[in-house]
Amino acid sequence: MPGITREEVAHLARLSRLELKAEELDHFAEQLNDIVDAVARVSEIAAEDVPPTSHPLPLTNVMRPDVVRPSLTPAEALAGAPAAEEQRFRVPQILGED
Amino acid sequence: MSVIDLVPYDEALAAYDPVMGLEVHVELGTATKMFCGCSTELGAEPNSQTCPTCLGLPGALPVVNEIGVESAVKIGLALNCEIAEWCRFARKNYFYPDMPKNFQTSQYDEPIAFNGYLDVTLEDGEVFRVQIERAHMEEDTGKSSHIGGATGRIHGASHSLLDYNRAGIPLIEIVTKPIEGAGSRAPEVAKAYVAELREVIKALGVSEARMDKGQMRCDVNLSLRPHGREEFGTRSETKNVNSLRSVERAARFEIQRHAAVLNEGGSIVQETRHFHEEDGSTTAGRIKDNAEDYRYFPEPDLVPVAPPREWVEELRAALPEMPRVRRERLQGEWGISDLEMQSVLNAGAIEPILETIAAGAPADQARKWWMGELARHANESGAELGALPITPAQVARVSELVAAGSLNDKLARQVIEAVLAGEGGPDEVVAGRGLAVVSDDSALGAAVDEAIAANPDVAAKIRDGKVAAAGALVGAVMKATRGQADAARVKELILERLA
Amino acid sequence: MTDLIRNTAAETAAAIAAGEVSAVEVAQAHLDRIGAVDEKVHAFLHVDTEGALSAARAVDAKRAAGEELGPLAGVPLALKDVFTTKGVPTTAGSKILEGWVPPYDATLTRRLKDAGVVILGKTNMDEFAMGSSTENSAYGPTGNPWDLSRIPGGSGGGSAAALAAYEAPLAIGTDTGGSIRQPGAVTGTVGVKPTYGTVSRYGLIAFSSSLDQGGPCARTVLDAALLHEAIAGHDPLDSTSIDAPVLPLVAAARQGAGGDLTGVRVGVVKEFAGEGYQAGVMQRFNESVEILRGLGATVVELSCPSFSYALPAYYLIAPSEASSNLARFDAMRYGLRVGDDGTRSAEDVTALTREAGFGPEVKRRIILGTYALSSGYYDAYYGSAQKVRTLITQDFARSFADVDVLVSPTTPTTAFPIGERADDPMAMYLADLCTIPSNLAGNSAMSVPCGLAPEDNLPVGLQIIAPAMADDRLYRVGAAVEAALNNQWGHPLLEEAPAL
Ligand SMILES: [Mg+2]
Ligand SMILES: [Zn+2]
């Protein structure tokens, strides 16, 4: 398995919305390289015919009836908001779509 | 808006073969959201229908709405899909402020329904089969309003305000396989497909599927390839096209735009595009580069959904008659032509007609009123037939009064006008305006005699056996009685007197 | 008065029920103890004096009205700061949630309140439960009451330290890879990871959803059983909650305390020994195995070959799920917001906030998880790790066909000094070597004190592992070992701890 490069760490940081500082990038790249080397071992025994387990329980079909339950009040919903306006969450300008 | 010189439509089609993919999102009409018990009622005040789960608060967990799953299975069955014996939800990871958890709980490689088709009827009666790739369950996002920019656009806005009432409302995403072979009819197929899908959804009762309310939204993916080539060209994805007409226009525009780019030796950029109602154009949005990596993985907070086979078969057996089948049946029952049926459909008159029949009117009468007087009204006022301020029961009552001879057609039209004008129900209007057919001989006799006296030439012709001339005298009597006379009886009286 | 803080939960509940002491007196005694020692220990991030006293008053009023009290009514408890508490700050040990006051109670919080348990406050933890030392808390480390310069384990170091420092007789932890058991082991207390799905996760701030499980921490096995019964049971708000009756854990603990393990088959996992295991830890562990034999159990050695892949699998699965679970901390709806100066975009503010609000271990795991889930790497990493999970579950199933419980040291070493492994993630991760397989497979496990390592006089934990939905076996075997050792020592191990 190839190691993880500094550029890759930078890309992953962007994907996960982390504004890493340059020295953090270097440090993480080094540490993650070691970690990735170690964890890559899983492929040694992960044979084709072994089914994956996503969940420790064999449960299926857990559902709830379509019945309305009380919501929070708008005041409760907004209580933790860094900023609010007109009973809405106020956020900085959103880039991207237009 | 757009400065590109579009290639004329026919010219584009002469050189290229369009391939379409349609992705339709349907908001289900469940009482609660997909993963929490918050109400889905529209029009509530901002953030009043939110809870820890749909706000993505730390610690909160989702639980699947059973009607959401049932609706998905019904849609899958109606679209002739296979229903998964076992499937899962997956997380689609990307950051966006209107998405509280910064992942959408959706389905990825294990959709609940897959491999189906929907037959759609085009204007000329030709049937086109659209193959369905999959239908899967997911959740809607919150709603953002952009403040400080022009007309609520993101661009230039200073900040945005978020309302999460819509976040978590159940969505079913229905994705077609690439639609090939439609040629110049591709835009028409797109429109007909979305229209048919909407009818199916409505017939299933799982959503009102109102496009104008955002309950049904369509993404139009389109690419062109030169005739004879196998592989697809690069596609554009026009997002959130929100009316049937727009679906057709968006497809048409993109065909012309792609052709223009390709003709100049350019290449199509894979990007999302936005449709503009004003001029039917599209403009570029976000470029889809390879940085887009949703890192799907099975949702660990939910357990798999394994619809029991008996349950699926029960749902299949209980499916309502599908709209196309029903239309064919009604057309047969009503004994009308393809063309007539098409205009009934175009007018959106099926439901009002059926309800009027259910209220006691004969089919031909119900059709006559809705497709005649009322359709004209709807046209003039720009309203949908179903939205006119008259009920099918009221139309049936008018028809009943005509059948009983209490009203003639002319009076009936007046009654309908009055009902639409808010003067009350048919009986109130008849009473209030004193409208009733006069068939009493003593009352009519005088008017008939006057008419004969005033038109000696006509009277002479009738005496000579020209019975057809009686129409002129009938008209005179009707005019004199302000339309309230029973025209058939008037004619009889005239002929008796001039025999 | 000092007895009030040294009593077990069972004794305290009985005293309150008998009217020998009021719940308010008990609560006040613990609040006073916290006031006296927590500056040194730093087990608590938030002490809810008013909430605790008012809960205690409610218990006293109920008793005065002649109403029946539950088995833990009036008993104080330290709650790991990873469960939401309505109206009481909840941080998960992170700066990004500093000052956040949840508008809702976790199901577990709700159940504790309904049981009349007096919640004293919220305990320190590694940020988002990522760590084995509590050094990753944004609010500073917690000291191990046995030696304040050493770690109390993690991530639930605050809960374990609160017990060992007599600040509370009961505590709640969460165990994703050992975060209840390893702190229990290094502080000389009892910690149980219940079967996955038996304690609701609703309101537990998620680290790794398919691994996290809340559970009881206590100074005695019986107390753990009492608490375990109070918090377990089906919750319709958690889709992964098992709809089955709670096992008779208290009865099992009482039976085990009788000291007879005749007919119980015990397996020693061969793989949990060798390089990296401290000699004194192995010595105490081997003595415990002999004690089990002496109590009538049959002991066999068996092998679980896939267990050596548990750590790598865990360090793919947990960070992957965490990278997604922690995406919600984006500065939009709650918590910290950094850099919103009116010119920056939401995207930039999110990235700046996450940079400022998350500590290095959290960032490291988010990046690792993002990597493991990326297209192109998914199959090799996340996919393979899930296969290892299957193999580990199969190894357990094979073992439990032959034995009733498995045993091992809980953690390879005793408490290490604060700072020793702080910037060496791989060394830190080894602390969870023996505990992780049970999280991957979802079965139950307990750590119970089994003595002090001769070389450093620090507590050693014995891990007992039972199949899923057989948590009662832990209590029977754990209580038997506890009784035998207390008998041998003449008192509970914790009395060996230096005074604070
Ligand atoms: Mg979608
Ligand atoms: Zn909700």
Side-chain angles (χ1 to χ4, degrees):
Chain A
M1 204 59 56
I4 183 167
T5 64
R6 191 181 188 278
E7 286 61 45
E8 245 172 322
V9 173
H11 170 66
L12 294 166
R14 263 194 308 279
L15 262 184
S16 45
R17 288 272 201 283
L18 287 168
E19 183 79 53
L20 293 186
K21 297 182 196 76
E23 62 269 25
E24 274 181 306
L25 269 180
D26 295 330
H27 195 53
F28 282 156
E30 197 187 312
Q31 287 181 328
L32 285 166
N33 232 325
D34 291 348
I35 297 172
V36 167
D37 274 352
V39 297
R41 284 185 56 219
V42 289
S43 57
E44 291 172 12
I45 59 165
E48 199 65 41
D49 58 342
V50 179
T53 297
S54 61
H55 220 274
L57 294 177
L59 290 177
T60 54
N61 294 339
V62 175
M63 300 183 202
R64 63 180 174 81
D66 185 26
V67 175
V68 176
R69 289 168 52 95
S71 293
L72 295 172
T73 64
E76 285 173 320
L78 290 155
E85 193 176 301
E86 295 172 13
Q87 210 170 296
R88 293 168 171 89
F89 293 85
R90 182 187 163 130
V91 305
Q93 52 175 316
I94 301 169
L95 297 182
E97 304 276 344
D98 189 34
Chain B
M1 185 105 355
S2 126
V3 287
I4 189 163
D5 284 324
L6 298 179
V7 171
Y9 189 69
D10 292 344
E11 214 174 283
L13 267 302
Y16 302 102
D17 171 22
V19 178
M20 278 187 312
L22 300 169
E23 293 176 23
V24 173
H25 285 87
V26 178
E27 259 186 17
L28 294 179
T30 49
T32 66
K33 294 185 180 181
M34 190 65 199
F35 302 113
C36 66
C38 289
S39 168
T40 58
E41 195 83 30
L42 292 176
E45 56 173 299
N47 294 302
S48 63
Q49 292 168 351
T50 65
C51 72
T53 297
C54 59
L55 278 179
L57 293 191
L61 295 174
V63 187
V64 172
N65 182 338
E66 64 182 10
I67 302 300
V69 175
E70 183 185 283
S71 304
V73 172
K74 284 181 180 171
I75 290 173
L77 291 171
L79 298 180
N80 307 291
C81 288
E82 295 171 48
I83 304 301
E85 299 204 6
W86 190 93
C87 68
R88 284 186 293 196
F89 287 95
R91 292 187 184 178
K92 180 181 186 181
N93 294 287
Y94 65 101
F95 281 84
Y96 210 76
D98 63 10
M99 199 168 53
K101 297 164 291 175
N102 288 313
F103 61 78
Q104 182 189 36
T105 307
S106 180
Q107 295 194 281
Y108 179 48
D109 50 357
E110 299 160 326
I112 190 157
F114 52 94
N115 267 348
Y117 63 87
L118 181 63
D119 285 335
V120 304
T121 312
L122 305 181
E123 297 262 353
D124 63 356
E126 189 194 323
V127 174
F128 193 96
R129 177 162 291 187
V130 176
Q131 302 288 342
I132 307 286
E133 167 95 32
R134 58 189 282 154
H136 72 247
M137 303 176 276
E138 56 182 37
E139 57 179 337
D140 212 341
T141 58
K143 223 171 194 155
S144 35
S145 358
H146 308 295
I147 310 298
T151 63
R153 284 240 136 82
I154 284 187
H155 192 72
S158 67
H159 63 278
S160 298
L161 300 180
L162 289 163
D163 170 13
Y164 293 103
N165 282 351
R166 198 182 65 182
I169 289 187
L171 292 178
I172 305 296
E173 179 175 335
I174 300 150
V175 182
T176 67
K177 291 181 181 164
I179 301 171
E180 304 176 62
S184 66
R185 304 190 74 169
E188 191 193 340
V189 166
K191 177 184 170 185
Y193 165 74
V194 177
E196 188 63 33
L197 187 56
R198 192 180 64 172
E199 292 306 311
V200 169
I201 301 286
K202 277 158 59 178
L204 292 171
V206 296
S207 168
E208 287 180 43
R210 292 276 302 265
M211 294 187 85
D212 57 335
K213 287 188 178 169
Q215 292 166 331
M216 185 163 166
R217 320 194 275 265
C218 180
D219 298 346
V220 180
N221 299 339
L222 189 133
S223 66
L224 296 184
R225 59 182 173 191
H227 287 299
R229 195 156 73 205
E230 277 284 307
E231 62 278 27
F232 299 156
T234 305
R235 70 172 188 273
S236 60
E237 305 175 10
T238 307
K239 295 286 172 194
N240 290 327
V241 187
N242 291 335
S243 75
L244 294 179
R245 180 164 170 264
S246 299
V247 168
E248 186 169 26
R249 290 169 86 202
R252 205 180 164 89
F253 182 89
E254 281 299 282
I255 288 173
Q256 293 178 268
R257 185 183 69 84
H258 280 225
V261 173
L262 296 173
N263 279 357
E264 281 173 24
S267 51
I268 299 296
V269 183
Q270 191 178 338
E271 63 190 358
T272 62
R273 296 189 67 86
H274 303 285
F275 180 74
H276 304 282
E277 296 281 350
E278 317 85 73
D279 61 356
S281 71
T282 70
T283 53
R286 191 158 42 97
I287 291 184
K288 286 228 167 173
D289 58 13
N290 294 328
E292 200 87 53
D293 183 346
Y294 293 123
R295 290 159 283 133
Y296 282 100
F297 72 104
E299 166 58 278
D301 285 328
L302 294 171
V303 302
V305 175
R309 293 299 97 178
E310 321 80 76
W311 180 62
V312 171
E313 289 317 310
E314 269 169 43
L315 291 177
R316 192 196 303 277
L319 285 181
E321 189 181 21
M322 283 301 110
R324 213 171 74 86
V325 176
R326 179 167 174 251
R327 285 197 308 265
E328 281 166 9
R329 175 176 61 78
L330 291 175
Q331 191 183 337
E333 284 175 15
W334 296 345
I336 58 177
S337 68
D338 284 357
L339 210 65
E340 282 172 301
M341 193 63 195
Q342 195 59 48
S343 43
V344 169
L345 291 176
N346 291 345
I350 285 209
E351 293 312 321
I353 291 173
L354 285 175
E355 286 170 36
T356 306
I357 294 170
D364 59 335
Q365 287 301 309
R367 223 174 50 248
K368 173 183 134 183
W369 290 113
W370 284 104
M371 292 307 294
E373 194 62 14
L374 291 164
R376 188 177 57 74
H377 245 279
N379 243 339
E380 280 167 7
S381 61
E384 287 189 29
L385 264 192
L388 289 179
I390 186 165
T391 65
Q394 289 169 334
V395 177
R397 176 63 182 152
V398 171
S399 153
E400 190 185 354
L401 291 171
V402 173
S406 314
L407 292 178
N408 56 29
D409 270 15
K410 186 169 178 200
L411 290 178
R413 275 194 295 276
Q414 285 180 38
V415 171
I416 283 172
E417 296 276 350
V419 173
L420 290 171
E423 288 180 29
D427 291 309
E428 283 172 85
V429 171
V430 167
R433 291 196 177 186
L435 296 178
V437 170
V438 180
S439 51
D440 171 11
D441 286 0
S442 60
L444 292 178
V448 169
D449 290 340
E450 267 174 46
I452 290 172
N455 297 285
D457 300 354
V458 180
K461 279 185 192 165
I462 297 169
R463 278 199 192 89
D464 290 349
K466 289 193 176 163
V467 177
L473 291 185
V474 172
V477 173
M478 295 307 284
K479 196 171 174 190
T481 58
R482 297 194 321 282
Q484 278 176 266
D486 177 347
R489 184 64 195 140
V490 169
K491 191 174 175 188
E492 280 171 21
L493 288 174
I494 293 167
L495 294 180
E496 269 171 34
R497 279 171 163 70
L498 300 176
Chain C
M1 226 25 178
T2 61
D3 277 354
L4 287 187
I5 60 163
R6 290 185 176 264
N7 281 341
T8 66
E11 289 162 353
T12 299
I16 291 170
E20 291 161 18
V21 65
S22 73
V24 168
E25 284 171 302
V26 171
Q28 192 57 57
H30 285 90
L31 291 167
D32 291 347
R33 174 70 175 175
I34 293 169
V37 302
D38 206 53
E39 208 165 315
K40 286 184 267 182
V41 180
H42 193 225
F44 284 87
L45 291 178
H46 179 85
V47 179
D48 184 19
T49 304
E50 252 329 292
L53 289 174
S54 98
R57 277 194 292 272
V59 170
D60 288 337
K62 234 177 142 181
R63 190 185 173 277
E67 285 177 52
E68 177 124 21
L69 297 181
L72 288 178
V75 179
L77 173 141
L79 180 58
K80 190 177 182 181
D81 202 24
V82 75
F83 284 97
T84 60
T85 41
K86 186 174 181 175
V88 174
T90 302
T91 67
S94 181
K95 268 271 175 281
I96 212 159
L97 274 179
E98 189 164 16
W100 183 58
V101 180
Y104 79 109
D105 271 333
T107 297
L108 179 138
T109 306
R110 186 77 259 145
R111 289 196 175 162
L112 291 172
K113 288 180 176 175
D114 290 347
V117 170
V118 172
I119 300 173
L120 297 168
K122 311 294 289 289
T123 57
N124 200 10
M125 56 184 286
D126 284 302
E127 184 177 6
F128 289 108
M130 296 178 187
S132 309
S133 68
T134 313
E135 291 164 287
N136 294 333
S137 167
Y139 304 99
T142 294
N144 187 328
W146 289 80
D147 174 351
L148 291 171
S149 72
R150 289 177 184 262
I151 60 108
S155 63
S159 284
L163 296 174
Y166 295 99
E167 293 173 286
L170 295 176
I172 291 289
T174 57
D175 195 311
T176 306
S179 287
I180 289 176
R181 291 163 285 163
Q182 183 256 4
V186 301
T187 58
T189 59
V190 178
V192 177
K193 184 201 99 65
T195 296
Y196 182 87
T198 56
V199 174
S200 171
R201 292 187 299 113
Y202 186 77
L204 190 181
I205 299 178
F207 161 18
S208 179
S209 310
S210 74
L211 302 168
D212 297 342
Q213 191 64 191
C217 310
R219 288 194 290 259
T220 71
V221 172
L222 176 63
D223 282 0
L226 285 162
L227 181 54
H228 194 154
E229 284 193 9
I231 58 174
H234 181 240
D235 179 11
L237 296 179
D238 175 357
S239 305
T240 62
S241 168
I242 297 173
D243 192 356
V246 179
L247 294 168
L249 308 172
V250 172
R254 292 197 199 279
Q255 184 199 358
D260 182 10
L261 292 182
T262 307
V264 175
R265 300 165 302 165
V266 175
V268 174
V269 184
K270 210 169 68 183
E271 279 75 13
F272 291 142
E275 205 195 329
Y277 287 78
Q278 193 178 321
V281 167
M282 289 316 291
Q283 185 186 332
R284 294 300 175 226
F285 169 68
N286 291 328
E287 288 167 11
S288 306
V289 173
E290 286 318 306
I291 286 171
L292 288 166
R293 261 202 195 97
L295 295 172
T298 55
V299 180
V300 295
E301 190 177 77
L302 40 78
S303 173
C304 294
S306 67
F307 282 15
S308 55
Y309 292 88
L311 196 66
Y314 174 83
Y315 277 97
L316 287 166
I317 291 169
S320 295
E321 293 183 6
S323 71
S324 174
N325 283 330
L326 269 55
R328 68 189 60 200
F329 301 100
D330 63 357
M332 299 294 116
R333 290 163 300 282
Y334 46 80
L336 187 69
R337 179 181 285 183
V338 168
D340 183 12
D341 60 2
T343 68
R344 288 204 180 89
S345 67
E347 286 77 357
D348 288 347
V349 167
T350 296
L352 285 168
T353 301
R354 288 163 66 82
E355 165 65 10
F358 289 143
E361 182 63 21
V362 172
K363 290 181 202 168
R364 204 153 36 224
R365 295 205 199 184
I366 288 175
I367 291 173
L368 178 58
T370 304
Y371 177 66
L373 290 176
S374 314
S375 63
Y377 294 112
Y378 181 95
D379 288 338
Y381 292 126
Y382 192 74
S384 294
Q386 291 203 323
K387 290 181 170 191
V388 171
R389 205 166 176 175
T390 306
L391 296 170
I392 286 169
T393 306
Q394 288 169 355
D395 273 357
F396 270 125
R398 235 188 333 269
S399 303
F400 286 128
D402 295 334
V403 299
D404 300 308
V405 295
L406 296 170
V407 291
S408 77
T410 305
T411 181
T413 68
T414 55
F416 48 86
I418 290 173
E420 188 185 82
R421 303 184 189 177
D423 204 37
D424 186 355
M426 292 307 288
M428 184 73 86
Y429 296 169
L430 292 174
D432 295 331
L433 210 50
C434 312
T435 46
I436 280 173
S438 293
N439 298 91
L440 292 171
N443 58 311
S444 57
M446 168 189 278
S447 178
V448 63
C450 67
L452 302 179
E455 58 267 55
D456 53 19
N457 260 334
L458 290 168
V460 176
L462 167 71
Q463 178 175 229
I464 306 163
I465 306 172
M469 303 308 284
D471 308 35
D472 51 340
R473 295 183 197 174
L474 304 174
Y475 287 96
R476 182 174 171 204
V477 176
V481 171
E482 178 186 58
L485 285 168
N486 282 355
N487 201 30
Q488 182 184 313
W489 302 326
H491 53 74
L493 182 68
L494 210 49
E495 288 187 17
E496 300 275 328
L500 284 167

